[in-house]
Amino acid sequence: MNETQPRRAAPAPLPGGAVTDVRGIRVGHFTDPRRPTGCTVILAEEGAVAGVDVRGAAPGTRETDLLEPGNLVERVHAVLLAGGSAFGLDAAGGVVRWLEERGVGLQVGPACVPIVPAAILFDLLVGDHRVRPDASAGYAACAAASDAPPAEGSVGAGAGATVGKLFGIERAMKGGIGTASVRVAGVNVGAIVAVNAVGDVLDPHTGAVIAGARSADGMWPLRTAEAMLRGEWPAASAPVTQPGGATTIGLVATDAVLDKAQARRLAQVAHDGFARTIDPVHTPYDGDTIFALATGASGLRVDLALLGVAAALVTAAAVVRGVSRAQGIATSGLPRLPSARDLGWIRG
């Protein structure tokens, strides 16, 4: 190496922390004891400006149109992430009920109407598909909410999450839910992500697969994108190759002051964190969706470019933490789905 050239610094480690480091945010999980599924609620009871960006082609969402900058409602009171495919949207009703009982919502005449956008992921291949989050699950998640760092891995919306499914669920691995945060320019930026991708999850620094589709013997990464380019392709009838067969969903939050257009931009840029850590991402079989919340609790306005850099960083970190903290599972009718730690693909 030419000693006159500057040495390249090692990449900074991914951030720790949690989305609850953002002032005005609380998180609660409900994990169903009957099979691996559940839901996660992100509460902003004082109200938060919100945006959303959907990149996958098979989304399942609720109350996303009202987040358009030109539409009337300015603030939301919670966001729900749930398993159970489209059935799981029912859990948002329990969040609405919990908030209404506490007088939290948009006052419309005599009624207090909580505003609760939601997104779901597909986890019906794991266990009895007739068990899925409902209104009571959403209510229970609210009752469990706190501003402490939330549990990660195989809990809440990540309980039934899997990754690397394009070549069959029997060669997939366990996904999960993760969170991270950073502090920049006097404000906090955090993310929480339920990782349930068709594709593999990568280390954003090295590109190494840390969870995803496995080789025929089950021990080594197949590298899904490379296999696809070699011409390998699953049967069209495989369950995961149907619309909605996967989906990674999440939320990025800040206590900076934003308007609705800026919140939407923050959600858009946060998808860069998905692109750094999931390959392939935003496929026809994923409904990848990211919400953004701005509580404004800091009272500070921060350059949106800086907030975007932070949002992409914490989103990438949340994806990695979701799979690194997951636990392998065994359910009726399926071989054991190992976690990244089970196979030693990630340590520490």
Side-chain angles (χ1 to χ4, degrees):
M1 177 177 175
N2 186 338
E3 292 299 327
T4 64
Q5 295 178 340
R7 294 181 181 273
R8 185 174 180 178
L14 291 172
V19 70
T20 49
D21 293 331
V22 174
R23 285 168 283 182
I25 295 294
R26 299 198 298 140
V27 172
H29 296 305
F30 171 79
T31 306
D32 200 304
R34 296 170 294 172
R35 83 160 178 98
T37 193
C39 60
T40 298
V41 67
I42 300 93
L43 294 175
E45 292 153 275
E46 298 300 317
V49 175
V52 67
D53 190 55
V54 179
R55 297 284 175 94
T61 58
R62 163 196 157 113
E63 298 271 50
T64 51
D65 284 351
L66 62 79
L67 303 183
E68 288 292 322
N71 289 344
L72 178 65
V73 174
E74 289 292 328
R75 301 175 79 82
V76 308
H77 306 98
V79 171
L80 180 79
L81 309 176
S85 190
F87 302 106
L89 291 173
D90 186 37
V95 179
V96 170
R97 178 163 59 91
W98 190 90
L99 289 167
E100 182 190 21
E101 289 175 357
R102 287 152 183 80
V104 176
L106 175 67
Q107 198 67 41
V108 183
C112 181
V113 183
I115 307 300
V116 183
I120 51 83
L121 56 80
F122 183 93
D123 60 6
L124 301 182
L125 298 180
V126 182
D128 185 349
H129 70 276
R130 294 167 296 184
V131 176
R132 52 256 184 163
D134 58 13
S136 63
Y139 193 97
C142 292
S146 89
D147 58 7
E152 298 174 272
S154 303
V155 295
T162 51
V163 297
K165 297 183 282 271
L166 196 63
F167 292 86
I169 190 68
E170 67 279 357
R171 292 169 68 178
M173 291 176 64
K174 189 67 182 70
I177 194 165
T179 185
S181 71
V182 294
R183 186 167 177 82
V184 293
V187 304
N188 299 292
V189 181
I192 187 166
V193 178
V195 190
N196 187 58
V198 159
D200 304 327
V201 176
L202 312 180
D203 181 320
H205 292 148
T206 67
V209 176
I210 58 177
R214 293 173 289 141
S215 57
D217 66 4
M219 298 304 298
W220 306 102
L222 179 65
R223 298 201 73 97
T224 295
E226 293 178 11
M228 292 170 68
L229 292 173
R230 291 194 299 267
E232 299 176 29
W233 195 252
S237 60
V240 77
T241 59
Q242 302 303 311
T247 297
T248 298
I249 52 178
L251 174 144
V252 61
T254 181
D255 42 34
V257 176
L258 298 179
D259 61 29
K260 286 178 73 176
Q262 291 170 326
R264 180 171 67 175
R265 174 59 62 183
L266 196 65
Q268 291 171 340
V269 176
H271 273 282
D272 291 354
F274 282 8
R276 293 172 191 173
T277 52
I278 301 172
D279 187 30
V281 70
H282 305 144
T283 76
Y285 317 119
D286 292 286
D288 299 334
T289 299
I290 297 181
F291 295 96
L293 294 182
T295 67
S298 71
L300 299 176
R301 295 184 180 274
V302 177
D303 188 283
L304 193 58
L306 175 58
L307 292 179
V309 169
L313 175 64
V314 294
T315 300
V319 170
V320 171
R321 286 173 60 155
V323 297
S324 67
R325 286 158 173 75
Q327 296 178 324
I329 56 172
T331 61
S332 176
L334 285 177
R336 179 175 173 80
L337 295 173
S339 70
R341 291 186 184 276
D342 290 339
L343 297 180
W345 291 9
I346 191 167
R347 295 182 174 85

